[in-house]
Amino acid sequence: MIELDPIEARALGCLIEKEITTPEYYPMTLNALLNACNQKSNRDPVVTYEEEDLADALDRLRGKQLLTTLTGGGNRVPKYGHRLQERLNLGRREIALLCELLLRGPQTLGELKDRAGRMHRFSDTDEVERCLTGMDFVKALPRQPGTKEPRWAQLLSGEPPVIAYAHEQAAHASAERSDRVTQLEAEVAELRQRLDDLERQMIRVNQLFS
């Protein structure tokens, strides 16, 4: 099973993206790949990796046989390409979806359809779901409180933090409900006390005028 840390996942996502959307600039130099990793659009989270960090990540990817390096010939500096599509035996649709998940993290079917559309045009969200269902390294996450649709995530980087976040949100919501129940119980007790006081006052008034 392929295991990627965040910077490795971002680097591979950028290489896939550039290979499909701007093939004239692919393979990529270290500087171009760094700019792609750190760009502020089409990325979540936005990061500021240093060149040294990215170079170390590329060395790790090369060790995992997920990277190709072109040197010599007409290349004044080394250029890098990915082997992820080859390793996972993915078609155009699947690699486009995986690319978006690597670049932006967990997303809904609608978000994936729209965002991956620049790499492959999907007819509808059903097609997106069929593709995702056939990939054993992605999964649908539990729907988070306050959302209408579940999100899908890639598992090459391990279980996504969004799952833990969902549990935290659920625990937080449960704590809020408990606090609210306690508050309501206190308010009811106070109202009952006021009613008892009023009843006693009415009894005294009745006694005075009887």
Side-chain angles (χ1 to χ4, degrees):
M1 180 66 176
I2 296 172
E3 296 183 4
L4 304 173
D5 62 31
I7 188 169
E8 292 170 358
R10 177 62 59 88
L12 285 175
C14 291
L15 287 169
I16 296 168
E17 177 189 54
K18 300 305 179 184
E19 179 188 26
I20 299 173
T21 61
T22 54
E24 64 272 22
Y25 299 114
Y26 180 87
M28 303 177 70
T29 65
L30 179 62
N31 185 62
L33 183 55
L34 181 64
N35 290 335
C37 288
N38 291 342
Q39 75 179 51
K40 294 180 172 57
S41 61
N42 301 323
R43 305 288 186 266
D44 187 15
V46 173
V47 297
T48 53
Y49 293 136
E50 299 293 334
E51 184 174 302
E52 182 179 357
D53 298 327
L54 179 58
D56 289 341
L58 295 179
D59 285 339
R60 295 193 298 273
L61 289 172
R62 189 181 296 107
K64 297 174 182 179
Q65 299 182 332
L66 295 173
L67 194 77
T68 60
T69 306
L70 299 180
T71 58
N75 300 313
R76 292 180 296 176
V77 295
K79 292 187 175 182
Y80 303 96
H82 73 91
R83 297 183 60 196
L84 191 58
Q85 186 170 8
E86 172 189 342
R87 283 285 306 277
L88 297 176
N89 191 28
L90 301 177
R92 182 66 174 262
R93 299 183 305 173
E94 289 79 11
I95 197 66
L97 293 171
L98 179 57
C99 176
E100 283 301 323
L101 293 173
L102 290 170
L103 292 177
R104 296 203 195 206
Q107 299 167 68
T108 65
L109 294 175
E111 289 171 336
L112 286 168
K113 175 183 176 295
D114 293 340
R115 294 167 177 172
R118 59 203 173 102
M119 291 177 280
H120 178 85
R121 187 174 297 279
F122 292 89
S123 58
D124 51 34
T125 54
D126 288 341
E127 182 185 3
V128 174
E129 186 170 19
R130 286 195 299 272
C131 289
L132 292 171
T133 303
M135 299 160 67
D136 58 6
F137 45 85
V138 302
K139 68 182 295 184
L141 305 179
R143 187 172 62 83
Q144 297 182 42
T147 62
K148 295 181 179 179
E149 301 178 59
R151 294 188 172 193
W152 288 74
Q154 55 86 13
L155 302 178
L156 300 179
S157 302
E159 289 289 343
V162 69
I163 295 179
Y165 175 76
H167 290 324
E168 292 172 4
Q169 288 291 91
H172 181 66
S174 177
E176 286 185 339
R177 287 193 297 271
S178 178
D179 291 344
R180 182 59 180 159
V181 168
T182 301
Q183 180 183 352
L184 289 172
E185 288 174 344
E187 291 175 355
V188 169
E190 182 180 355
L191 288 172
R192 285 177 177 169
Q193 182 63 48
R194 290 182 181 180
L195 284 172
D196 290 342
D197 292 343
L198 285 172
E199 287 179 359
R200 286 192 292 269
Q201 291 175 15
M202 289 300 295
I203 291 172
R204 287 196 296 271
V205 168
N206 289 333
Q207 290 173 344
L208 287 174
F209 291 94
S210 60

